[in-house]
Structures are given as C-alpha cells and as structure tokens.
Amino acid sequence: MFVLHHRYNLFPRLLFKLYAFGLFIGGIYSVPPIRTKKNPLLAGLTIATVRGFLLNFGVYYAVKDAVGAAFAWSPKVSFVARFMTAYATVIAVTKDLPDIEGDKANQIETFATKAGVKRVAQGASLCLFANYVHAILTGLLSAPGTFNPVPMIGGHAALATMLVLRFRQLDPDSMSSVKKFYKHVWDLFYLEYGLYTLI
C-alpha cells in the first residue's frame, strides 16, 4: 500500500491509474485464485493490453509529463501503440509453443495444445504479416512528412520478408525448430522498436 501511495505522489493521476491497472491485471495473471494465464483468451488479452497499449502509451505520456510538455497524440505514437498491441496479441498466442510438450503432459490448455503447432504458427505469421502490411499502407497513405518513408515502408517490408523466411524454415515436428521460430518472433518485436526510432 505504501508503494502505491508513493507512486501516486510521483505520477500524474492518469499515469498512476494506468500503473495501478497494469499492476492489477499483471497480478491476477499469475496470482491465485484467478490466474488469467490458465485461460488462453484472458492470458492473451492481458499480455496484449500491458505489452501493447499500456507500455507504449504510458512511456510516451510519462516522458511528456517529465519534460513539462502538454500531451497530444502523435501519429507515430498512435501507430506504434496499434502495431505493438497487435504484435503483443500474437506473442500471447505463440508464447506456449516452446512449452507444448510440458503443457500436454500437465494437461494445461493453450492455443498450441488445442490447435497444434503448425496451425498456431500459421495463424500467428498471417496476423504479423497483416500487421506489416498495415504499417506499409500507413506509410503510403499518410500525409507527406508524417513518417520517414524509407524505414516506414522499406523497413517494414524488410521485416515482413524476414517473417516469411523464418516461417518457411519452421518444422512443426521439431521442438528446436519451434523454439527458434518463437525466438524469431521476439527478434522481430525488438527490431520494431529499433525501427520506430527512425520512422
């Protein structure tokens, strides 16, 4: 309780509410009796909300507040919040791929145990590819000067190509291949943050 009170005095009210909300849904993800991680849909929503929206919006809002600037939505921040929320949703679905054998042994229900590695990987790759197409179209259709076109269009085209190549290398029957595919999903996630600094 002291920690929350201390945070309340440090942050503006909206940021404190976002922090408390993130702390709450992050807590019920792992802490009994609720443990939303046991339900694939609830786990996905939790991860997408925290890693996608709250993280990106919260950091942007905090930086604006720290430098004394008035908050206003930036097209770039709006884009990265949308893009990363969609991406975090895919991570929430694929996170159980490397653990599928253990989950089956312990009768833990996940998207991977229900649909199988191949179908989950295909669906995840299609969603991520659509996300990259969305990024490219955003760059093409936005007003001139909104985005730097080379990283926004060319950079996302390059990452989409990497995604397709990584998916083609996946052998759903090989656990080492599945783990490698999942690692590549995370690699592309962090490369997006690097690209964001250029767009």
Side-chain angles (χ1 to χ4, degrees):
M1 201 65 171
F2 168 76
V3 172
L4 285 179
H5 178 72
H6 184 62
R7 293 282 187 256
Y8 185 79
N9 290 330
L10 288 176
F11 296 143
R13 187 168 295 177
L14 175 60
L15 204 56
F16 173 80
K17 289 178 180 177
L18 291 174
Y19 177 85
F21 178 64
L23 189 65
F24 171 72
I25 63 174
I28 64 172
Y29 177 82
S30 299
V31 178
I34 301 174
R35 297 192 72 196
T36 56
K37 68 185 292 184
K38 293 169 66 176
N39 180 295
L41 183 61
L42 292 177
L45 287 171
T46 301
I47 293 169
T49 301
V50 174
R51 291 215 65 125
F53 178 74
L54 288 180
L55 178 66
N56 294 289
F57 173 79
V59 169
Y60 178 68
Y61 189 94
V63 170
K64 282 283 193 180
D65 180 72
V67 299
F71 174 79
W73 271 109
S74 154
K76 294 176 181 180
V77 172
S78 179
F79 161 74
V80 80
R82 291 194 313 270
F83 187 95
M84 287 308 201
T85 299
Y87 206 115
T89 303
V90 171
I91 286 177
V93 173
T94 59
K95 71 179 177 61
D96 298 307
L97 288 176
D99 303 320
I100 189 169
E101 293 176 348
D103 289 338
K104 282 181 177 178
N106 292 291
Q107 297 182 328
I108 297 171
E109 190 176 273
T110 67
F111 286 114
T113 58
K114 289 174 72 175
V117 170
K118 186 175 181 180
R119 289 180 65 189
V120 169
Q122 283 177 335
S125 297
L126 281 172
C127 289
L128 289 181
F129 189 79
N131 209 22
Y132 285 122
V133 170
H134 154 259
I136 293 166
L137 290 176
T138 300
L140 288 170
L141 301 176
S142 295
T146 305
F147 297 98
N148 185 346
V150 174
M152 186 65 178
I153 299 167
H156 285 106
L159 294 184
T161 302
M162 287 175 62
L163 169 70
V164 172
L165 292 174
R166 299 306 189 194
F167 174 72
R168 286 184 175 178
Q169 294 171 353
L170 172 66
D171 176 3
D173 296 319
S174 165
M175 192 47 58
S176 64
S177 180
V178 171
K179 289 178 179 179
K180 193 173 182 181
F181 171 78
Y182 180 64
K183 178 187 176 297
H184 289 318
V185 170
W186 275 103
D187 290 343
L188 289 170
F189 180 84
Y190 289 116
L191 282 171
E192 182 62 32
Y193 278 115
L195 194 60
Y196 173 63
T197 64
L198 304 173
I199 64 171

